Amino acid sequence: MKAALTHIASVVTCGSGALLPALVLSALLAGCATTATAPAIRLPAVDVAAAGETTPVGTANVDAADDPAIWRNAANPAASLVLGTDKKAGLYVYGLDGKVRDFAAAGALNNVDLREVRRGGKTTILVGASDRTDRAEPRIALFALDGASGKLTSLGAETFLPAGHAPAEAYGFCMGSALASGELARAYVVLKDGSVAESRLIEREGRIVPDYLRLVKFATQSEGCVVDDAGKVLFVAEEDVGIWKVPLAGDRLVAEAFAKVGAADGLVADVEGLAVAREDGGRAWLVASSQGDNAYALFDLGTGKPAGRFRIDGGSIGGTSDTDGIEVVLGDFGPAYPEGLMVAQDGDNAPYAQNFKLLSWRAIRSALGLD
């Protein structure tokens, strides 16, 4: 969901001294003066320059790019791949040079994630995305990614909610590792009403299909989510409220408050994309898109405390604003990204269509003083 660029709330003062809503018929506005109140919230943050960017998505002049995912090529880190959704048209694959490797015209895919899974004795890069092409019947679109060529193979778009469910729209999406035998991975679809449906991804008659398990509900619209596989925890961003932590080990999904919108936790609504940055040694951070003030907030997963804020700005590549989805993967990605890679959607890449910006984790860590 896009936040207003200015976040200015206006009221209209008429000669009688009465306050009328700003959205009234123009005939009622005659002789009234408009006064701006509630200026935009902009919390302190350091600047970090982008190191690269992708080719813009194909859908121009509209909010189209949305969410990225990263596949790290362990054998050749510089040949790693970035995926990004055009939520009006399908799914892109980019190299670290930002050039398009492949595009799957798969409809209205909103959020994307991936996991490496074992299938038929081989490793498959399994990609999933929330498919909102049908606004009443949510689906999970599945693909196999060829790490060598960067090509996508469609595995179908599958429904997952129980039969007879009320109309629902797929929105956010994230994946987690398998939590039980007989499954390839777990898939989490955030529906437009704030519900998050968990399904296990299994093989059935030669196809990978979602098998619905359980649900957790948030009071208002949510979208961003990420699974911390090491901690077996799902994090969900309720856009105007904050971030929730949902342990996955129990029989039921029960949400616990993790961070709230406000200066104390460094979040300005809308809270959008979430990512987990985990080092090999175990230290980890949760990164959140604080869309309301065009910034990104870090939280130490060991303590739950805020660990800093930054904006993508400066350097020869443009910055970002109105960021929806983000992704972070730590490790070697070659000379340009020796400690890790962050990818962030850029909601205003004028005069071109929206795209994704690439950042070095080393630059982020240095700017925030993370040891």
Side-chain angles (χ1 to χ4, degrees):
M1 178 180 181
K2 285 296 172 191
L5 292 178
T6 56
H7 289 277
I8 298 295
S10 296
V11 296
V12 180
T13 307
C14 294
S16 65
L19 294 180
L20 299 176
L23 296 177
V24 294
L25 294 175
S26 59
L28 297 178
L29 291 172
C32 296
T34 302
T35 302
T37 61
I41 298 172
R42 186 176 173 86
L43 300 177
V46 300
D47 288 342
V48 180
E53 64 180 333
T54 68
T55 300
V57 299
T59 305
N61 303 316
V62 69
D63 177 28
D66 197 88
D67 187 53
I70 299 170
W71 176 70
R72 180 177 174 271
N73 186 332
N76 184 7
S80 298
L81 300 170
V82 172
L83 290 85
T85 58
D86 178 334
K87 60 188 175 186
K88 309 296 182 183
L91 181 63
Y92 283 91
V93 181
Y94 305 95
L96 296 188
D97 59 2
K99 295 180 180 179
V100 176
R101 297 289 192 270
D102 196 18
F103 174 71
L109 304 185
N110 207 56
N111 284 191
V112 62
D113 204 355
L114 60 84
R115 288 292 186 276
E116 290 188 356
V117 303
R118 295 293 293 176
R119 188 184 186 202
K122 298 180 180 179
T123 298
T124 296
I125 307 169
L126 180 61
V127 178
S130 51
D131 186 344
R132 59 193 297 206
T133 304
D134 185 335
R135 299 301 171 93
E137 184 62 73
R139 289 178 168 82
I140 299 173
L142 295 171
F143 305 85
L145 172 66
D146 186 318
S149 67
K151 301 301 181 182
L152 290 165
T153 299
S154 175
L155 302 178
E158 306 285 348
T159 61
F160 55 91
L161 290 179
H165 68 83
E169 180 181 343
Y171 205 41
F173 180 82
C174 54
M175 292 175 71
S177 297
L179 295 176
S181 62
E183 59 188 44
L184 299 173
R186 292 280 171 106
Y188 301 85
V189 180
V190 185
L191 304 175
K192 201 68 176 282
D193 69 354
S195 301
V196 182
E198 179 190 46
S199 301
R200 60 178 187 150
L201 297 178
I202 60 174
E203 290 200 75
R204 181 182 294 156
E205 299 178 352
R207 297 166 50 237
I208 299 177
V209 296
D211 181 32
Y212 173 82
L213 295 174
R214 49 190 180 173
L215 180 143
V216 61
K217 178 75 168 63
F218 298 96
T220 61
Q221 185 168 295
S222 307
E223 180 180 3
C225 70
V226 67
V227 176
D228 176 22
D229 288 325
K232 293 183 173 55
V233 172
L234 168 71
F235 292 93
V236 178
E238 188 176 0
E239 295 182 357
D240 294 334
V241 176
I243 302 170
W244 297 87
K245 176 180 179 179
V246 185
L248 299 175
D251 294 332
R252 298 173 55 243
L253 297 178
V254 179
E256 305 168 2
F258 180 81
K260 297 179 180 179
V261 166
D265 287 334
L267 296 173
V268 179
D270 298 333
V271 184
E272 290 281 346
L274 300 177
V276 170
R278 181 173 289 278
E279 296 178 340
D280 287 341
R283 189 177 182 191
W285 295 266
L286 180 71
V287 187
S289 169
S290 176
Q291 192 190 72
D293 70 338
N294 299 326
Y296 308 87
L298 268 70
F299 300 87
D300 188 313
L301 279 189
T303 64
K305 295 181 179 179
R309 304 179 84 248
F310 68 96
R311 292 187 173 88
I312 302 175
D313 201 4
S316 60
I317 297 172
T320 60
S321 59
D322 292 336
T323 294
D324 283 330
I326 61 174
E327 182 60 294
V328 181
V329 175
L330 301 191
D332 178 19
F333 280 83
Y337 310 98
E339 297 180 11
L341 173 67
M342 174 174 174
V343 181
Q345 182 259 9
D346 185 8
D348 183 5
N349 190 44
Y352 308 105
Q354 295 176 344
N355 71 348
F356 300 89
K357 299 297 194 287
L358 282 64
L359 287 85
S360 166
W361 179 255
R362 175 179 287 177
I364 296 169
R365 184 179 57 77
S366 176
L368 296 180
L370 302 176
D371 297 330

